[in-house]
Amino acid sequence: MAVTYDTDDYFIFNSYGVTKSEYKEYLKRIKEKFPTMKDENDTSYTGTNDKNYELNISYNSLDQNVNCSLDTSKSTESTTEATTTTTAEKVTTTAKKKSTQTSGIRPRIKKAIDSYETVMDSYCKFMKKYNESSDTSSMMKDYADYMEKYSDAAEKFEKIKDDNLNDDELTYYTKVQVRVTKKLADAQ
């Protein structure tokens, strides 16, 4: 399996050596988590979930390759934020400025950073297991769970993206990022 693209709004991976029956089993789990079908045929599926995250999955039987992408850029929560009135934006800006002048880590910020680290820990464990496995195609089923966790962590991280982090929060964020980077290097 290879992650080919990873940003705040998009995540794409490819998995190789996947049989048609394994793809169909994986697709069943995907449909449970992304039940609103936008497009479907024998080798691909596009669906959304209740947060308006869009997942595209396709299967190439000749190469036994699965391509999967997750788009969170159309999230219903982002749309709600975009329709905020100017007055509310001024209040939010004032609150953000006040919060950066305080010390300590705000619970929402800590929760988002911790969630990110937890997901990345799961990913590293998964990749170690994947790298040591002689039957990597059987691991596609586990990946559906990872995609959901990744979506949640990305959503929480997106919410703090525009926050002005205070010194304590920035220090904590940096420490977590260093730990995650080391774990990712060890997983390779």
Side-chain angles (χ1 to χ4, degrees):
M1 178 171 9
V3 174
T4 57
Y5 196 74
D6 186 4
T7 66
D8 288 341
D9 294 331
Y10 299 97
F11 183 79
I12 302 171
F13 77 90
N14 288 296
S15 187
Y16 306 94
V18 179
T19 67
K20 182 76 171 181
S21 63
E22 289 168 333
Y23 167 73
K24 287 183 177 184
E25 180 63 32
Y26 183 59
L27 185 58
K28 285 180 193 175
R29 294 184 70 192
I30 291 290
K31 287 179 178 181
E32 290 171 7
K33 298 180 188 303
F34 295 86
T36 307
M37 189 228 1
K38 294 177 83 176
D39 186 36
E40 181 175 21
N41 62 42
D42 192 41
T43 59
S44 68
Y45 176 81
T46 301
T48 59
N49 64 10
D50 60 340
K51 296 176 186 174
N52 206 31
Y53 290 178
E54 184 175 288
L55 185 116
N56 297 295
I57 185 167
S58 61
Y59 180 70
N60 179 323
S61 60
L62 294 175
D63 296 332
Q64 290 191 321
N65 175 37
V66 171
N67 177 275
C68 189
S69 65
L70 177 68
D71 178 356
T72 63
S73 68
K74 299 171 190 153
S75 170
T76 53
E77 287 153 1
S78 297
T79 305
T80 304
E81 285 179 22
T83 60
T84 306
T85 64
T86 305
T87 305
E89 288 174 1
K90 287 179 185 176
V91 171
T92 302
T93 302
T94 303
K96 283 181 185 177
K97 286 180 183 174
K98 286 181 183 175
S99 71
T100 60
Q101 297 169 1
T102 63
S103 62
I105 301 172
R106 291 172 281 175
R108 183 176 65 80
I109 301 295
K110 183 170 183 348
K111 186 175 180 180
I113 293 171
D114 289 348
S115 176
Y116 168 75
E117 184 173 23
T118 300
V119 169
M120 295 312 293
D121 284 348
S122 296
Y123 175 73
C124 290
K125 287 177 187 173
F126 178 82
M127 288 309 296
K128 282 182 181 179
K129 183 178 167 184
Y130 178 84
N131 289 334
E132 295 169 359
S133 177
S134 61
D135 184 21
T136 56
S137 61
S138 68
M139 299 178 76
M140 285 296 297
K141 295 173 187 168
D142 297 334
Y143 210 77
D145 293 332
Y146 177 72
M147 290 297 288
E148 184 176 8
K149 290 175 187 176
Y150 177 84
S151 296
D152 290 341
E155 175 187 345
K156 289 175 184 169
F157 230 70
E158 182 65 27
K159 288 181 179 179
I160 68 166
K161 181 178 166 184
D162 296 327
D163 282 351
N164 294 320
L165 300 179
N166 65 37
D167 290 342
D168 292 337
E169 292 166 341
L170 188 57
T171 299
Y172 184 65
Y173 173 83
T174 303
K175 286 180 180 179
V176 168
Q177 197 63 1
V178 167
R179 285 195 304 258
V180 166
T181 301
K182 183 180 180 329
K183 291 173 192 175
L184 285 170
D186 293 344
Q188 300 298 327

